[in-house]
Amino acid sequence: MGAVKTKRMPRAVREQQMLDAAVRIFGQRGYMAASMDEIAEVAGVSKPLVYLYLNSKEDLFTACIRREAAALTEAVQSGVRPGLDADRQLWDGLRAFFTHTAQHPDAWSVLHLQARTHGERFAAEVTAMREEIVAFVTRLIGAAAREARPQDPDRPEPGSSTPDRLGLDRPAVDPDLPEREVAGLAEALVGAAESLAAWANSTEGVSARQAAATLMNFAWAGLGNLMEGRPWSPTDPDHQGRAG
Amino acid sequence: MGAVKTKRMPRAVREQQMLDAAVRIFGQRGYMAASMDEIAEVAGVSKPLVYLYLNSKEDLFTACIRREAAALTEAVQSGVRPGLDADRQLWDGLRAFFTHTAQHPDAWSVLHLQARTHGERFAAEVTAMREEIVAFVTRLIGAAAREARPQDPDRPEPGSSTPDRLGLDRPAVDPDLPEREVAGLAEALVGAAESLAAWANSTEGVSARQAAATLMNFAWAGLGNLMEGRPWSPTDPDHQGRAG
């Protein structure tokens, strides 16, 4: 990413160099403080060429968000091999996610922080990526739930409802976890991953693998119990519990 | 919050009315689209009075963030009664959090969305609140871990290190979970809660109690296993697992 100047470099290559430089500067300086001068300098091109190709600071930033969102989504999806056990798929997906965010901290700063902090137009770009990842995780958890109890004769009828151990009148836990519960779990997992990635990147000495292991430990045993019909329940919801 | 006009109302009361109106309009319209005219109208005061008391749209928005951040932090902390079992404390804290965000959806939109989308100055206000909540959850998880195995004779020396089941050379799981692991778990839990609250508020028919139960189920059995030294481990990390 030095100031390499080659004449007749194809436009597509030049554009990628500009985006490389822009992600780095936006990620490190923040959207407001980033200057087009510095981006052009880091990209090794003239500032007018940046404007010619990418039009404006806003459009350049949008192009950065789109490219990095696509790269992250691709990294996670291609890190997961279909056909493995659900927990293994989740572990692979988490490692791919944390490896990518650790290796591209400027890109993660653009997606997680900068894009959400500077106006609804940019935030909407990230929301689209997030929805794609949530949908992916939702399918993964749904498949895991079906895998957990494929042949349970006591499986309740879909849509049946019983008060559960938390005293909620909600659909009984069945091998196909209620759709809404699966959606909520996927939201929780994605939110946890986002939060942990930001923390890992700003905490000295936390590796991608450690961050993935922390979340896997946190998530899987909980999900695993839930899928097998063992939700957590308070010791004594109406009184003060064991230590009261 | 109607257009009540009482002469000689104390300034503090008027200011709270302005903030009530501002949170509602900022939360529903978004920061950019919110107009000071509408805020004054909803508050039942003149626009010059809003400027006199709160100075500018930016300062008014900052005052909203601070008030709502303090209210949410207070709701969570006062929802948790010290002395109960750790899981019960977590359950109470989660219910308090989701009840508050469900009852104050405009305030949650201001904190979670608007404040993070319109510049670093506002985002920093929310970051301060988030750090306080993470610190609170960190203490809770730390206490839970100590409670889980108070008298384990096999407790490793603090600081000792063994390769764990994920093949990581990291501190052995001990009753006082490694400090960094606890910090990571707290980040994961807070991120999950933020994500779920946004989802619950935008999904028809998801109650605060259901959202809290989803996260409790997700989190506790996982945390519980972890604290008792039963992390998740892949079936066969070097090969393809059972279903390969």
Side-chain angles (χ1 to χ4, degrees), chain A residues 17-233:
Chain A
Q17 286 180 344
M18 291 177 195
L19 290 176
D20 287 344
V23 167
R24 186 165 136 197
I25 302 304
F26 284 133
Q28 292 181 5
R29 306 249 185 273
Y31 176 67
M32 294 299 191
S35 84
M36 294 295 271
D37 285 302
E38 190 178 6
I39 290 170
E41 194 191 323
V42 169
V45 300
S46 69
K47 192 162 76 165
L49 195 64
V50 179
Y51 280 103
L52 180 68
Y53 281 12
L54 276 314
N55 196 44
S56 65
K57 188 176 176 182
E58 291 73 22
D59 284 359
L60 174 59
F61 190 51
T62 303
C64 289
I65 297 170
R66 287 192 183 153
R67 190 184 77 167
E68 297 308 327
L72 176 57
T73 309
E74 163 63 19
V76 172
Q77 293 185 340
S78 70
V80 175
R81 287 163 294 175
L84 299 194
D85 289 350
D87 61 340
R88 189 58 210 251
Q89 287 193 39
L90 184 60
W91 170 236
D92 289 341
L94 289 176
R95 273 192 309 170
F97 174 79
F98 286 106
T99 299
H100 189 90
T101 54
Q103 286 176 347
H104 305 89
D106 296 331
W108 179 245
S109 169
V110 164
L111 291 176
H112 182 64
L113 203 59
Q114 297 302 323
R116 306 211 281 198
T117 323
H118 298 288
E120 279 142 23
R121 174 182 158 194
F122 303 133
E125 296 284 342
V126 177
T127 300
M129 169 196 75
R130 194 180 196 278
E131 283 171 359
E132 195 176 337
I133 292 186
V134 168
F136 180 71
V137 173
T138 301
R139 288 194 297 276
L140 198 62
I141 295 177
R146 284 190 296 279
E147 186 181 285
R149 300 199 301 175
Q151 292 168 320
D152 185 345
D154 297 330
R155 173 181 173 168
E157 288 298 308
S160 72
S161 175
T162 55
D164 72 5
R165 284 181 241 178
L166 292 173
L168 304 176
D169 184 37
R170 58 175 185 176
V173 176
D174 71 38
D176 306 333
L177 272 181
E179 215 173 288
R180 174 164 293 172
E181 184 89 356
V182 170
L185 292 167
E187 287 284 344
L189 186 56
V190 170
E194 289 171 333
S195 178
L196 257 185
W199 172 79
N201 278 4
S202 65
T203 305
E204 191 72 30
V206 176
S207 70
R209 195 182 168 92
Q210 282 169 328
T214 293
L215 188 51
M216 189 68 196
N217 278 327
F218 177 58
W220 187 258
L223 284 175
N225 275 304
L226 194 53
M227 284 161 189
E228 294 178 10
R230 293 194 304 270
W232 172 86
S233 65

Side-chain angles (χ1 to χ4, degrees), chain B residues 36-207:
Chain B
M36 294 296 271
D37 285 301
E38 190 178 8
I39 289 170
E41 194 191 323
V42 169
V45 299
S46 69
K47 192 162 75 167
L49 195 65
V50 179
Y51 280 103
L52 180 68
Y53 281 12
L54 276 316
N55 195 44
S56 65
K57 188 176 177 182
E58 290 73 22
D59 284 359
L60 175 58
F61 190 51
T62 302
C64 289
I65 297 170
R66 286 191 183 155
R67 190 183 78 166
E68 297 308 327
L72 176 57
T73 309
E74 163 64 19
V76 171
Q77 293 184 340
S78 70
V80 175
R81 287 162 296 173
L84 299 193
D85 289 351
D87 60 341
R88 189 58 208 252
Q89 288 193 39
L90 183 59
W91 170 235
D92 290 340
L94 289 175
R95 274 193 308 171
F97 174 80
F98 287 106
T99 299
H100 189 90
T101 54
Q103 286 175 348
H104 305 89
D106 296 332
W108 179 244
S109 169
V110 164
L111 291 176
H112 182 64
L113 204 59
Q114 297 302 322
R116 305 212 281 199
T117 323
H118 298 287
E120 278 141 24
R121 174 183 157 192
F122 303 132
E125 296 284 340
V126 178
T127 300
M129 170 196 76
R130 194 179 195 278
E131 283 171 0
E132 194 175 339
I133 292 187
V134 168
F136 180 70
V137 173
T138 301
R139 287 194 297 275
L140 200 62
I141 296 177
R146 284 189 296 278
E147 187 181 282
R149 300 197 303 176
Q151 292 169 320
D152 184 344
D154 296 330
R155 172 181 175 170
E157 287 298 308
S160 73
S161 174
T162 56
D164 72 6
R165 285 181 240 180
L166 292 172
L168 303 176
D169 185 36
R170 57 175 185 177
V173 176
D174 70 40
D176 307 332
L177 272 181
E179 214 172 288
R180 174 164 291 172
E181 184 88 356
V182 171
L185 291 167
E187 287 284 344
L189 186 55
V190 170
E194 289 171 332
S195 177
L196 257 185
W199 172 80
N201 278 3
S202 65
T203 305
E204 192 72 31
V206 175
S207 70

